[in-house]
Amino acid sequence: MLDSWATGFSSIASPEAILLILIGTILGIFFGATPGMTSSMGIALILPVTYGMSLIYGMCLILGIYIGSISGGLITAILFNIPGTPASVATTFDGYPMAKRGEGGRAIRIGTLYSFLGGSLSLIVLFFLAPLVASFALSFSAPEYFAIAVFSLILISTLSGKSMIKGFISALAGLLFTTIGMAPVDSVFRYTFGFHALDGGFSILPVLVGLFAVVEIIKGAENPSGFSSKALKYKSKGIGVTWAEFKGQLKNMFVSAGVGTGIGILPGLGATFSNLIAYSVSKKTSKKPETYGKGSIDGIVASETANNATSGGALVPLLSMGIPGDAGTAIMLAAFMLHGITPGPLLFTTHGDVIYGMFAVLIVANILMYLVMIFGLGGFLKLLDIKKNILYPIILVLACVGAFALNNRIFDMWAIFIFSIIGYALVKFKFPITPFVIGFVLGPLLEINLRRGMMTTYGSFLDFFTRPISGSILIFTILLVIFYSLKGIRDKRIKTTFNNGDPKEI
Amino acid sequence: MIHKYKNLIAGCFILLFSLVFFLTSFSIKLTQIDTFVGSRLFPQIITVLLMLLSVWIIIENIVKNRKGIIEEEVQEDENEHSLEKANGPKQNYFKTILVFVSLALYISILDSIGFMISTIIYLFTQMFLLESKGKRKLIQYLVVSVISTVVIFYLFTEVFNLVLPRGRLF
């Protein structure tokens, strides 16, 4: 065991390898921070560059991007309220309020620290528990995925404090937009009205850019003084949390890491879910849920720990079964096969040195990610000095270009435009945006697994409840809904009696 | 005034929207006749739920207006957001429309004029729009627009080897 590790580390004990990891990490952070570009795009772009290299050097680059991009998203999420990648959506909830108070630097430090910790925790699971966990993941089939999707949808829709109904409407609207395009299973066209551009449906990127980036610009446009340009102090030092705060966050950290790793291990779910789910779980199990969304570090801890933990988790099915956990790992699979290696159960025995080399790369990449982000912090904060009316249009152009680069068609930019209008409407009429995003992301998952599940159970929905895992998740979800509805009614009654019978909405 | 009826308007709009989607769902082809879980199921469930919820919101709004509750809520809201209140609503909505229009125009001319020139024009326009009258620095915007467009262009085409819209000019 120990000598495998030694072999692993020795394979990257060269300046070229470390340099490649560094370059990969920096590139990854850049891709992560730019809205409109994602980690899988970065990995796809770098893949040809790795053709000529040995596998381990190629992995240095790829894994560097992989780890860097999940963390980079928090920079723009915190400073500009625009998530750099879907994995940092929940970071905007508490990160941006902190930035508005002048604590942006501290927020970034906290986010980076917990990204590092979350990644490390999931790497530990990867290193020591991979085969075990992988076989558990095998017992997840369509009904289980359906159950998880339903659970996540309900959980996140109830996040929005003020009006659960509006949250549900938002989520349903998001779901509805996913039905545009080809249906799963039988591929009939739905709601395309003859426009062939709509055949493929909308992808998450234009949706995010339109909902977040453009809406931010509009908010600035509607503010009478242009963008409020108050010079806020951003100085921060050290790690970002005191020892006391760190101890307070331990439970939050472990739970979020668990959620993130678990979701990563399930093929098909990625960091996009885990950060939102971890945030919801954290908020619901916290003793002071009302502080969430106003700049409490709990929110950032939950979101960033989970999304980095997902990257480690996603490598488990890749390395132990050859099944990619998310888009980035799918491209890694291609990289492996290019070099003549087929990931799978035998990988540990036939190419153990490769595996341990990768583990070594991951550890180094995680550390380098932390260092780069912290050293670059001054530079990131300088971005804030740029007047927003100059910076935001540039960010938007970058995002549009990224969206265009997805499929090389202008339609994706029109998609940004469409969703910016929707986002504007949602904000103006006070509907929460997050459930819309989660509905949009979960839509395909929900439908495909409902239909596949029904096919495997020969048309019996009841079987979804009798299967142990899906049944327990579904029943838990139903109990959750009942619990929260009753709680809502009870809270209303209490408020009513306190107001002397004057019926007032909470 | 509009504040009071916000939910009502939203509700009506969503009701209409989901009704349209519900009705069009019947033109989705069915590939199997005897199955419940076809391609129509999902859209239909969603649109039906949306219609029900939007009716709820509409009724809730009407009931609250009758009881005069809305006035209190609006007062609460305004107290919360007094710092963020817009100065002249008309003026700001005009700007908002301009922002949307400039984005739409940008996307429309991309293919014909090409990335470089369209982006320079767009960036300049957007920077101009987003700043209030007195503080605009036209030359700065022009320079920044040109430089950032060129940088982005070279970054994406040479470094990342991606394709950007090329028109007849650039």
Side-chain angles (χ1 to χ4, degrees):
Chain A
M1 214 350 196
L2 216 58
D3 51 325
S4 320
W5 279 103
T7 331
F9 273 101
S10 64
S11 61
I12 59 162
S14 61
E16 296 98 19
I18 306 288
L19 188 64
L20 282 172
I21 303 181
L22 185 64
I23 295 178
T25 312
I26 295 180
L27 268 177
I29 294 179
F30 172 71
F31 277 112
T34 318
M37 293 202 267
T38 59
S39 71
S40 34
M41 190 187 289
I43 299 181
L45 285 174
I46 216 71
L47 194 59
V49 177
T50 62
Y51 288 171
M53 300 179 186
S54 66
L55 180 60
I56 195 66
Y57 281 3
M59 278 297 141
C60 287
L61 261 183
I62 292 180
L63 290 173
I65 294 183
Y66 187 57
I67 299 227
S69 54
I70 296 279
S71 316
L74 65 88
I75 301 174
T76 39
I78 291 175
L79 297 179
F80 305 118
N81 204 26
I82 305 173
T85 55
S88 298
V89 172
T91 315
T92 63
F93 300 160
D94 284 276
Y96 189 58
M98 278 185 81
K100 283 203 279 194
R101 296 202 295 244
E103 291 190 296
R106 180 168 172 247
I108 296 184
R109 280 179 195 270
I110 297 178
T112 312
L113 172 70
Y114 281 94
S115 293
F116 173 72
L117 290 172
S120 312
L121 285 172
S122 70
L123 287 179
I124 294 178
V125 170
L126 172 66
F127 298 160
F128 301 113
L129 297 176
L132 229 107
V133 173
S135 51
F136 176 65
L138 274 176
S139 57
F140 272 70
S141 172
E144 281 73 38
Y145 277 84
F146 175 74
I148 292 183
V150 172
F151 172 68
S152 324
L153 196 62
I154 305 265
L155 185 67
I156 295 175
S157 307
T158 56
L159 248 191
S160 29
K162 277 203 178 150
S163 172
M164 231 164 71
I165 303 275
K166 279 187 164 178
F168 280 129
I169 291 187
S170 206
L172 286 169
L175 280 176
L176 190 58
F177 274 94
T178 57
T179 58
I180 301 178
M182 270 201 276
V185 177
D186 51 13
S187 307
V188 296
F189 290 124
R190 296 194 290 200
Y191 301 124
T192 56
F193 303 118
F195 283 123
H196 287 293
L198 284 174
D199 288 351
F202 294 109
S203 53
I204 182 69
L205 217 59
V207 173
L208 269 187
V209 173
L211 284 180
F212 286 94
V214 185
V215 169
E216 276 306 303
I217 293 186
I218 303 285
K219 282 191 199 164
E222 296 204 323
N223 191 320
S225 56
F227 285 97
S228 51
S229 34
K230 287 183 234 157
L232 294 160
K233 298 267 173 201
Y234 285 98
K235 279 206 170 162
S236 57
K237 275 194 201 173
I239 296 192
V241 283
T242 61
W243 182 242
E245 283 173 326
F246 181 74
K247 278 200 290 188
Q249 294 296 330
L250 272 179
K251 173 182 155 219
N252 194 5
M253 176 181 86
F254 279 113
V255 168
S256 307
V259 169
T261 315
I263 292 186
I265 291 175
L266 295 173
L269 305 174
T272 320
F273 296 112
S274 57
N275 75 105
L276 285 164
I277 296 182
Y279 185 86
S280 321
V281 169
S282 173
K283 181 175 179 183
K284 305 244 171 187
T285 56
S286 147
K287 301 209 175 116
K288 28 185 179 80
E290 62 287 340
T291 60
Y292 281 70
K294 304 200 181 125
S296 107
I297 60 177
D298 297 61
I300 302 182
V301 167
S303 171
E304 286 301 317
T305 315
N307 66 24
N308 276 65
T310 313
S311 1
L315 287 168
V316 170
L318 177 71
L319 294 179
S320 49
M321 297 188 290
I323 303 175
D326 64 7
T329 40
I331 304 178
M332 272 189 242
L333 187 58
F336 271 112
M337 301 208 288
L338 266 168
H339 285 91
I341 300 183
T342 323
L346 294 177
L347 192 61
F348 279 82
T349 40
T350 53
H351 290 277
D353 52 332
V354 171
I355 297 269
Y356 282 93
M358 278 182 68
F359 290 170
V361 172
L362 284 165
I363 295 178
V364 174
N366 213 13
I367 299 175
L368 281 179
M369 177 274 292
Y370 183 74
L371 294 173
V372 169
M373 297 264 282
I374 295 293
F375 280 120
L377 187 56
F380 302 147
L381 291 179
K382 284 257 166 63
L383 280 176
L384 280 168
D385 286 339
I386 304 179
K387 294 203 87 186
K388 286 196 180 164
N389 72 317
I390 295 185
L391 189 62
Y392 276 49
I394 297 181
I395 293 182
L396 184 58
V397 166
L398 270 173
C400 285
V401 171
F404 175 83
L406 261 184
N407 286 315
N408 279 339
R409 48 178 198 169
I410 304 269
F411 177 72
D412 286 317
M413 295 205 200
W414 284 116
I416 294 183
F417 183 72
I418 295 173
F419 284 100
S420 64
I421 297 184
I422 295 177
Y424 180 70
L426 284 175
V427 168
K428 270 295 156 188
F429 285 100
K430 307 231 168 109
F431 281 83
I433 293 192
T434 316
F436 185 91
V437 175
I438 201 68
F440 190 86
V441 176
L442 277 172
L445 217 77
L446 258 172
E447 188 174 11
I448 292 183
N449 288 298
L450 175 64
R451 297 175 72 167
R452 264 196 216 151
M454 292 289 269
M455 289 197 284
T456 55
T457 63
Y458 294 100
S460 160
F461 191 64
L462 208 61
D463 279 0
F464 278 56
F465 288 92
T466 54
R467 292 170 66 112
I469 305 182
S470 63
S472 38
I473 298 180
L474 283 173
I475 294 182
F476 183 65
T477 313
I478 295 178
L479 290 175
L480 209 68
V481 173
I482 298 179
F483 174 67
Y484 276 103
S485 325
L486 288 177
K487 186 162 180 273
I489 299 178
R490 191 190 59 158
D491 286 345
K492 262 194 207 177
R493 286 231 185 96
I494 294 180
K495 258 229 160 166
T496 315
T497 48
F498 273 128
N499 285 318
N500 299 322
D502 207 9
K504 209 166 186 203
E505 179 78 0
I506 299 171
Chain B
M1 177 60 179
I2 301 191
H3 243 269
K4 276 205 285 179
Y5 296 107
K6 254 193 191 169
N7 280 359
L8 182 70
I9 300 175
C12 290
F13 185 72
I14 297 175
L15 183 61
L16 202 66
F17 192 70
S18 36
L19 188 64
V20 167
F21 269 73
F22 179 70
L23 293 175
T24 18
S25 72
F26 287 102
S27 58
I28 296 176
K29 281 194 209 157
L30 278 177
T31 48
Q32 288 167 283
I33 310 206
D34 58 347
T35 183
F36 181 52
V37 192
S39 287
R40 288 190 190 169
L41 178 73
F42 210 57
Q44 286 179 339
I45 295 183
I46 298 176
T47 46
V48 165
L49 283 174
L50 269 176
M51 288 194 276
L52 290 174
L53 288 179
S54 52
V55 166
W56 178 310
I57 285 199
I58 293 175
I59 296 183
E60 185 189 57
N61 193 282
I62 296 180
V63 164
K64 280 196 191 165
N65 266 323
R66 287 262 172 89
K67 288 194 184 170
I69 299 175
I70 297 281
E71 259 87 38
E72 301 170 28
E73 280 184 3
V74 171
Q75 200 53 42
E76 263 180 38
D77 248 355
E78 299 208 341
N79 292 335
E80 269 178 38
H81 297 277
S82 52
L83 290 168
E84 300 173 18
K85 269 188 93 170
N87 258 340
K90 249 194 215 157
Q91 184 190 38
N92 285 319
Y93 286 141
F94 184 58
K95 245 199 206 175
T96 309
I97 297 179
L98 279 181
V99 170
F100 276 118
V101 165
S102 56
L103 183 60
L105 280 176
Y106 171 52
I107 303 178
S108 335
I109 63 175
L110 258 181
D111 244 347
S112 33
I113 305 193
F115 180 74
M116 287 264 239
I117 301 195
S118 325
T119 311
I120 294 179
I121 299 178
Y122 172 69
L123 280 178
F124 183 76
T125 317
Q126 197 69 280
M127 293 180 188
F128 180 84
L129 276 178
L130 290 173
E131 186 60 271
S132 34
K133 270 198 178 152
K135 305 184 190 168
R136 289 173 177 157
K137 301 183 191 164
L138 298 178
I139 302 185
Q140 187 190 59
Y141 300 165
L142 190 64
V143 170
V144 172
S145 305
V146 173
I147 295 183
S148 24
T149 307
V150 171
V151 167
I152 295 178
F153 184 80
Y154 278 105
L155 188 68
F156 277 78
T157 49
E158 301 298 318
V159 178
F160 296 139
N161 268 315
L162 289 171
V163 185
L164 287 176
R166 302 249 177 165
R168 273 173 262 128
L169 293 173
F170 267 103

